[in-house]
Amino acid sequence: RRATQGAFVSDQVLYQVFGFIAEAAQHAITYKVIKPHLQFLVHDVVLPVLSFSQEDQHLWESDPDEFIRRQGACETMFSDPRSAAGDLLRSFVTYRGRDSLSIIMASISTDLEAYSRMGDKVDMQACCKKDGALNALENIAEQLAIAAVEKSGKSKRSKKGKKSKKPSAVENQLPDVNALQQMLVNVVLPEFKSQCAFLRLRACSTFEAFISENIEFSQEVFGAAFVATKACLSDSELPVIGEGVRETRREKNIHIWSDEVGGTLAQLHLSILSALN
């Protein structure tokens, strides 16, 4: 309803609409129709769909086990509008980054700034908008990470002795590794201690999306992410514990964290077993 001005549209229809637009964005003749509406599509449609909703809150409270199951269920990839909204964002960035990236990042920044103005108060609407903003970042994490590594001159694909070309307009809009790292420290890490439980869950999944990419973050950031994610295993809310278990059980994350933090792998396994029990 948030994305359709109060009118009812089924999840399946919304899923198909997002898929259609994602496909249309790839072709010049149809993209011409979409381009004037990018701001509306991103800020007024996609971000609200990506945000934590009243339906999510109801499921979280009434059946947290089902909430956890749906978080990792394969069938949601083929029916959930939230999944399709993420696909649409990635399509925009991949095929129409020159036009869409500044709009996407500006829309995300708007919701993040609204949340930061909240102070110590708990405004559920602002919290939900921040969840949508972090979810959007999570969905384009791969593109942002690859671009950040290349912009910082640390790409493995760049050849020695090869003359570097002038950055494109799209590349100039993107953060480098240091800026990306600072963004995660400023807007993601604090949410591991948020009063809103769903933001603690979102912080865990968003940080994982970036930390699992091939980025040389500082050891301090890796350590902070490790400690914060490990703390999720003893959270008071079951879905947060479930997300913490999911992220720490990923083989690539265990490998990264064991290399960067050192000496804590056994403790990590014990924490996982304790959470599962």
Side-chain angles (χ1 to χ4, degrees):
R1 290 180 184 275
R2 292 167 299 171
T4 56
Q5 299 179 348
F8 174 76
V9 176
S10 71
D11 285 351
Q12 188 61 39
V13 170
L14 197 55
Y15 176 89
Q16 296 291 345
V17 168
F18 284 146
F20 179 85
I21 298 173
E23 178 66 27
Q26 301 179 34
H27 309 285
I29 191 169
T30 46
Y31 177 66
K32 289 179 181 179
V33 180
I34 298 171
K35 185 176 178 179
H37 307 287
L38 279 175
Q39 174 70 34
F40 166 75
L41 285 170
V42 172
H43 190 262
D44 297 337
V45 180
V46 172
L47 288 185
V49 168
L50 290 176
S51 301
F52 193 81
S53 66
Q54 291 182 352
E55 291 79 6
D56 294 326
Q57 185 66 43
H58 175 73
L59 183 61
W60 181 301
E61 294 174 352
S62 62
D63 193 348
D65 291 322
E66 176 63 13
F67 185 94
I68 294 172
R69 189 195 71 79
R70 290 189 186 182
Q71 288 292 103
C74 293
E75 64 264 24
T76 60
M77 297 175 60
F78 307 102
S79 60
D80 184 11
R82 191 168 289 163
S83 173
D87 291 340
L88 178 56
L89 274 188
R90 287 189 293 274
S91 179
F92 281 157
V93 173
T94 301
Y95 298 103
R96 304 297 170 184
R98 183 183 296 273
D99 298 326
S100 68
L101 192 58
S102 60
I103 292 174
I104 292 171
M105 297 307 290
S107 297
I108 290 173
S109 296
T110 297
D111 288 345
L112 292 178
E113 288 170 5
Y115 177 84
S116 65
R117 290 194 296 269
M118 188 177 69
D120 295 331
K121 297 183 296 182
V122 178
D123 183 330
M124 284 302 295
Q125 185 177 7
C127 289
C128 290
K129 284 187 175 182
K130 176 153 191 180
D131 180 75
L134 294 184
N135 198 353
L137 286 174
E138 187 176 323
N139 273 282
I140 59 174
E142 182 179 2
Q143 290 94 330
L144 290 178
I146 292 173
V149 171
E150 291 184 346
K151 189 172 183 178
S152 300
K154 299 177 181 179
S155 175
K156 293 181 179 180
R157 290 183 291 180
S158 58
K159 298 180 180 179
K160 291 183 178 180
K162 187 176 180 180
K163 187 177 180 180
S164 59
K165 61 180 182 179
K166 186 178 180 180
S168 67
V170 176
E171 290 170 336
N172 285 330
Q173 299 175 35
L174 295 167
D176 59 15
V177 169
N178 290 333
L180 189 60
Q181 177 174 263
Q182 195 59 46
M183 180 189 71
L184 295 177
V185 169
N186 291 339
V187 305
V188 181
L189 267 181
E191 299 314 317
F192 278 100
K193 297 181 179 180
S194 174
Q195 296 181 56
C196 294
F198 61 84
L199 281 180
R200 298 198 296 272
L201 183 151
R202 180 61 62 196
C204 188
S205 63
T206 300
F207 221 107
E208 187 279 332
F210 283 94
I211 211 168
S212 61
E213 298 295 337
N214 190 24
I215 305 178
E216 294 181 4
F217 286 141
S218 69
Q219 187 169 350
E220 289 77 12
V221 172
F222 269 119
F226 175 84
V227 171
T229 303
K230 189 167 177 283
C232 290
L233 300 176
S234 56
D235 197 272
S236 59
E237 296 288 340
L238 185 59
V240 180
I241 295 174
E243 186 64 31
V245 170
R246 182 182 295 112
E247 304 308 342
T248 51
R249 289 182 71 186
R250 292 181 193 269
E251 183 178 350
K252 58 184 178 182
N253 284 354
I254 290 177
H255 173 70
I256 291 171
W257 282 332
S258 62
D259 287 345
E260 294 294 331
V261 181
T264 54
L265 191 56
Q267 295 178 13
L268 176 62
H269 285 161
L270 289 174
S271 297
I272 292 173
L273 291 174
S274 176
L276 289 173
N277 291 333

